[in-house]
Amino acid sequence: MPKSQVSLRNKHILELKTMTPAEMSLILDTAQEMKHIIDRDIKKVPTLRGKSIINLFFEASTRTRTSFELAGKYLGADVVNITTSASSVTKGESLRDTLLTVEAMGVDVIVMRHEAEGSAHFAAQAVKPVIINAGDGAHEHPTQGLLDMFTIREHKGKLAGLKVAIIGDILHSRVARSNIWGLKKMGAEVHVAGPATLLPRDIEQLGVKAYTRVEEALDGADVVNVLRIQRERQQKGLFPSPREYARIFGINAKRLALAKPDALLLHPGPMNRGLEIAPDIAYGEQSVIQEQVKNGLAVRMALLFLVLMGGNKVEAGN
Amino acid sequence: MKLVIKRGRVIDPVQNIDAIADILVENGVIAKIGEAIEAKGAEVFDAEGLVIAPGLIDMHVHLREPGLEAKEDIVSGTQAAAAGGFTTIACMPNTKPVIDNAILVAGVLRRAETEGLVRVKVIGALSKEQQGKELAEIGDMLQAGAVAISDDGHYVSDARLLRNALEYTGIYGKTVISHAEDEGLVSEGYMHEGAVSAALGMKGRPAVAEDIAVARDILLAEYTGARLHIAHVSTKGAVEIIRQAKRRGVKVTAEATPHHLALTDEAVSGFNTATKVNPPLRSRDHVDALIAGLKDGTIDAIATDHAPHAFEEKDMEYKYAPSGFAGLETALGVVLTELYHTGKMTLPEIIRCLSAAPAKILDLNAGTLQVGVPADITVIEPMREWTVDSKKFYTRGKHTPFEGAKLKGKAVATIVGGTIVMKDGEVSTCGEN
């Protein structure tokens, strides 16, 4: 396992906004090592034996939850899933009570996804285990941001100086926010684009360039990250129809050609093929969408390792 | 029963008094203001170094009684008022049931009479059950003692209903109080829309929603000739719209809260639910415009929008937590710290906003130290430094965005009708007087 002079400053993984470039590099470097484990015939290592991780998911998720589960298991930890679709309000048990119950079972890490922005911060203040934010509303999804950066870095060899275009529903996207913070800290230039109704007001104050014509954002991009469009946004009047969205804002081969010839195509999944992304490019030559999934596993292994074994405590014990 | 308050700096904006003087209180009314008053047998209150102001009036309080006593009741709410230096508070009708008829107005007034530590005025609902559909029995409520009419907490979306309420309330010469935020624009939001909401991923309540609502309400007040009061103004645009309306002679008044004058939306960044309020905390440009509006008289009054909630209700995810927080016990300290000690406003200006101005809007015989009026007096120590600690609050609402704030300036005594109900932060037991 890599030993570095750097360690994570904070106990929890809540957001990329306050993470330093050194910390992010440490995570990405560690993930590189972890990726070798995934390719082994026998994947299980005993590194986290005796540690317990709970996936506390208040929102439906397939890939993130499975990814965390396998990440924990490959490293030898015990992993339990709690999936509850109802919010704490309708469920009748408060988030604090749920967290205290989980804490009382002696878990070391709580991986939490919740529809409310700031819920991971709430958890970090409420209980002692390490909190890893697996998505809090439209706020942040730090492990997705890290796995996107990992994927880009693996292909391009760097992040600094790259032009990354994030296309789609920026307003509701935690993936967009974590990507913006992470990529900017690592020296990339971030362009966002989508219909004006799906761009947050004052988004440019986050240090990105915003466009309502996707072609302008795609021009000369090194990376194109296409976000999922939830169909219910149309019902709320944020765009007129899926058909029109696909025609005007969807990423297809013609639009992708505006980016650099070797531009990477990312999508955090799950995809609506034919809506925000054309079927022929989704698994085309430039697509790294399936690699993202594998890299997500590596990044989550790295994070679990670092928060449980690679922190200041290990350093102090030396 | 006599009380002499000696050697204080007496400030009464109504009489244009700002001088060191003694005040004699006799039989619950102001009997005399002058130098070196001698009164045999009178209790003496040494106020040297202190400011003697007309009793402070908070025209925007949620007392939560009846029905929501887990948040607050008349006892805890009036104790909090006394602790904060307020001698009169006006309570909003969004209780359970809604105060939308004369019996409920009379009931709250009667209970406040026996249990309340300070004076309580009641604001009646504008529409039945605050549903925004049919007029409540406004005439009945005003005759039963309601001082104003409001659907506070809800914007009156139906322009026809507001027009009718303005005209009907106008029969009695009373004012309609508007919570002005266009519903369609704010219904999904829970903080100010801007750079901070963009970063946090939170849905916004844009400033323009307030601008639109204030503009429409003012146009209706202008058309009907009736009185309109805009509650908790928070936007630059609303301040300017009110300023122009006043120039045209529209009978509009307005209030601002200490939190909108002191805090920006940056306070939301830590996801502390004690920063969640409607209208939301705004960005710096709005705060500066609000202070300028208060300074030039566009905004008449300072009111707290004291909106306590039970601890567990606020102890949750930001988007689910109810809006509002306690304000009575921090208001004066916040206002003096932010406006007086920064040199933005003078003590007489601030005291007017907290006494004479709300008294005028609600037509109360209060807000001045004139001889013959009930002796409602607030004694203020402007230089007193203190730290906000919600554990010491009298209100049941223990959430405040000012938790831990170091403030300068505090009420050190509250006198209602000649009786000292708070001294050095300790309030007397309710019903004692």
Side-chain angles (χ1 to χ4, degrees):
Chain A
M1 292 299 149
K3 264 278 169 259
S4 167
Q5 294 304 98
V6 192
S7 60
L8 300 181
R9 293 172 307 140
N10 296 310
K11 174 178 160 187
H12 308 287
I13 306 294
L14 304 180
E15 56 184 27
L16 297 192
K17 185 184 177 183
T18 48
M19 205 177 262
T20 63
E23 288 176 295
M24 286 190 274
S25 294
L26 170 66
I27 295 164
L28 300 184
D29 293 346
T30 310
Q32 203 73 57
E33 304 284 328
M34 293 295 174
K35 204 170 170 184
H36 300 313
I37 298 176
I38 305 169
D39 290 327
R40 286 185 198 168
D41 196 21
I42 293 174
K43 298 175 172 61
K44 207 152 182 146
V45 296
T47 313
L48 298 185
R49 195 164 60 197
K51 298 290 183 185
S52 57
I53 297 160
I54 193 152
N55 283 326
L56 183 57
F57 276 58
F58 294 88
E59 264 188 351
S61 160
T62 310
R63 69 199 66 216
T64 304
R65 205 210 62 215
T66 310
S67 182
F68 269 109
E69 184 172 354
L70 282 175
K73 285 180 170 168
Y74 287 175
L75 292 173
D78 294 311
V79 186
V80 177
N81 297 309
I82 296 182
T83 303
T84 165
S85 55
S87 73
S88 56
V89 170
T90 52
K91 190 158 54 99
E93 185 180 44
S94 75
L95 178 58
R96 182 182 296 277
D97 290 344
T98 304
L99 288 163
L100 287 169
T101 303
V102 168
E103 180 184 37
M105 294 175 190
V107 300
D108 300 291
V109 177
I110 298 174
V111 177
M112 193 171 103
R113 168 168 292 187
H114 195 292
E115 63 154 14
E117 297 82 23
S119 51
H121 291 69
F122 180 96
Q125 285 165 14
V127 292
K128 290 192 199 75
V130 173
I131 304 296
I132 297 181
N133 183 6
D136 62 327
H139 176 229
E140 283 221 35
H141 191 352
T143 61
Q144 181 73 43
L146 288 163
L147 80 87
D148 288 348
M149 294 195 309
F150 182 91
T151 306
I152 297 166
R153 197 182 75 161
E154 202 172 40
H155 280 269
K156 299 290 180 191
K158 60 173 185 177
L159 291 166
L162 296 180
K163 178 178 166 184
V164 179
I166 305 174
I167 312 291
D169 182 359
I170 311 297
L171 181 64
H172 298 92
S173 178
R174 51 193 174 215
V175 177
R177 286 178 182 77
S178 287
N179 265 278
I180 288 169
W181 298 124
L183 287 165
K184 281 190 54 64
K185 278 171 194 282
M186 300 306 273
E189 184 186 320
V190 181
H191 292 200
V192 300
T197 46
L198 294 176
L199 291 175
R201 195 169 172 86
D202 297 335
I203 184 71
E204 290 200 329
Q205 291 192 35
L206 272 58
V208 301
K209 290 209 72 169
Y211 301 91
T212 50
R213 291 179 191 277
V214 294
E215 291 82 359
E216 292 174 21
L218 291 168
D219 185 33
D222 297 287
V223 177
V224 179
N225 197 345
V226 184
L227 302 176
R228 176 179 167 78
I229 292 293
Q230 296 196 349
R231 286 172 195 273
E232 74 224 40
R233 308 296 179 215
Q234 185 251 322
Q235 283 139 32
K236 292 206 166 170
L238 291 165
F239 60 93
S241 69
R243 193 195 68 79
E244 179 168 313
Y245 185 92
R247 201 176 69 77
I248 299 176
F249 301 100
I251 301 302
N252 52 30
K254 197 175 152 205
R255 291 207 172 103
L256 186 59
L258 297 169
K260 286 195 181 143
D262 61 346
L264 301 175
L265 179 65
L266 282 76
H267 190 299
M271 283 187 280
N272 295 299
R273 275 186 281 164
L275 178 54
E276 73 266 10
I277 189 164
D280 55 328
I281 59 166
Y283 294 112
E285 277 182 16
Q286 287 170 267
S287 169
V288 290
I289 294 169
Q290 280 189 292
E291 284 177 50
Q292 284 176 273
V293 177
K294 183 176 182 179
N295 292 339
L297 188 50
V299 161
R300 286 165 186 131
M301 288 170 76
L303 276 175
L304 289 172
F305 170 74
L306 288 168
V307 298
L308 286 169
M309 309 301 286
N312 291 320
K313 280 176 209 157
V314 173
E315 304 289 330
N318 285 347
Chain B
M1 222 212 82
K2 291 184 199 172
L3 171 68
V4 178
I5 305 166
K6 295 193 80 75
R7 290 180 291 275
R9 176 182 166 192
V10 177
I11 298 179
D12 182 2
V14 172
Q15 300 184 81
N16 215 3
I17 295 175
D18 183 356
I20 306 293
D22 295 355
I23 295 186
L24 175 66
V25 174
E26 226 169 352
N27 300 322
V29 298
I30 309 273
K32 193 177 176 186
I33 300 183
E35 281 175 39
I37 295 174
E38 293 299 328
K40 268 187 214 152
E43 184 185 344
V44 175
F45 187 119
D46 182 2
E48 195 166 350
L50 305 176
V51 166
I52 312 301
L56 306 185
I57 298 166
D58 187 353
M59 64 177 295
H60 194 144
V61 170
H62 296 273
L63 268 186
R64 306 298 194 198
E65 198 173 335
L68 302 167
E69 291 85 355
K71 298 172 191 279
E72 192 83 292
D73 62 18
I74 287 170
V75 173
S76 61
T78 57
Q79 284 181 330
F86 292 95
T87 57
T88 298
I89 56 177
C91 62
M92 283 295 176
N94 58 338
T95 49
K96 208 172 170 179
V98 168
I99 302 173
D100 63 358
N101 62 55
I103 281 287
L104 280 162
V105 171
V108 171
L109 287 173
R110 179 185 292 196
R111 179 162 284 192
E113 192 70 32
T114 54
E115 296 182 358
L117 196 59
V118 304
R119 298 183 202 277
V120 173
K121 304 294 175 186
V122 176
I123 296 163
L126 183 149
S127 66
K128 291 194 176 85
E129 295 176 17
Q130 289 194 316
Q131 292 294 307
K133 299 214 162 61
E134 293 175 58
L135 283 185
E137 292 178 341
I138 289 172
D140 252 13
M141 289 191 288
L142 292 173
Q143 287 183 348
V147 292
I149 294 300
S150 180
D151 267 0
D152 184 57
H154 310 273
Y155 183 53
V156 181
S157 289
D158 180 353
R160 191 183 61 107
L161 181 72
L162 182 66
R163 177 217 173 140
N164 291 343
L166 284 163
E167 290 183 332
Y168 203 88
T169 308
I171 299 171
Y172 300 87
K174 297 291 181 188
T175 195
V176 167
I177 301 174
S178 168
H179 176 134
E181 284 186 290
D182 180 80
E183 187 61 26
L185 282 169
V186 301
S187 59
E188 289 192 330
Y190 31 98
M191 69 172 293
H192 174 64
E193 182 173 276
V196 182
S197 68
L200 297 179
M202 294 221 234
K203 286 287 181 63
R205 297 173 80 91
V208 71
E210 183 172 328
D211 305 345
I212 289 168
V214 168
R216 189 208 69 174
D217 290 5
I218 281 177
L219 291 173
L220 282 172
E222 188 167 19
Y223 186 66
T224 58
R227 291 172 67 185
L228 171 71
H229 177 79
I230 308 293
H232 40 51
V233 174
S234 70
T235 66
K236 188 168 57 177
V239 171
E240 185 52 34
I241 291 163
I242 295 164
R243 186 178 285 131
Q244 288 169 12
K246 284 190 163 185
R247 279 193 201 129
R248 296 199 303 276
V250 182
K251 288 183 220 161
V252 61
T253 54
E255 76 195 25
T257 69
H259 50 272
H260 287 122
L261 291 163
L263 299 172
T264 69
D265 57 347
E266 290 287 347
V268 181
S269 286
F271 301 104
N272 178 1
T273 60
T275 63
K276 187 175 176 185
V277 66
N278 295 334
L281 300 176
R282 304 284 185 192
S283 50
R284 175 49 60 189
D285 50 334
H286 292 290
V287 174
D288 290 342
L290 199 59
I291 293 170
L294 193 67
K295 174 93 183 151
D296 73 12
T298 300
I299 308 290
D300 303 82
I302 296 170
T304 65
D305 191 10
H306 176 81
H309 292 286
F311 185 82
E312 64 276 12
E313 293 173 313
K314 284 291 250 187
D315 180 35
M316 59 170 63
E317 301 89 321
Y318 200 91
K319 75 191 287 186
Y320 305 146
S323 297
F325 41 74
L328 284 166
E329 289 163 85
T330 50
L332 185 60
V334 168
V335 166
L336 292 175
T337 304
E338 293 292 329
L339 301 178
Y340 172 62
H341 290 296
T342 55
K344 289 173 184 164
M345 287 176 75
T346 66
L347 277 176
E349 284 171 338
I350 291 167
I351 287 168
R352 178 190 290 277
C353 290
L354 283 162
S355 58
K360 194 174 169 202
I361 294 163
L362 299 179
D363 304 312
L364 307 177
N365 181 27
T368 174
L369 298 170
Q370 277 164 342
V371 170
V373 304
D376 294 355
I377 299 166
T378 301
V379 184
I380 300 165
E381 187 178 341
M383 304 307 283
R384 168 79 74 92
E385 294 185 33
W386 61 291
T387 303
V388 177
D389 178 4
S390 62
K391 286 195 288 294
K392 293 180 182 158
F393 282 178
Y394 285 90
T395 174
R396 294 201 178 129
K398 303 300 182 192
H399 282 86
T400 166
F402 299 107
E403 185 75 61
K406 292 187 184 348
L407 301 179
K408 196 169 182 184
K410 199 177 199 305
V412 293
T414 306
I415 299 166
V416 178
T419 304
I420 298 172
V421 297
M422 183 280 280
K423 197 165 182 196
D424 297 328
E426 296 293 319
V427 307
S428 49
T429 310
C430 283
E432 208 175 65
N433 49 314

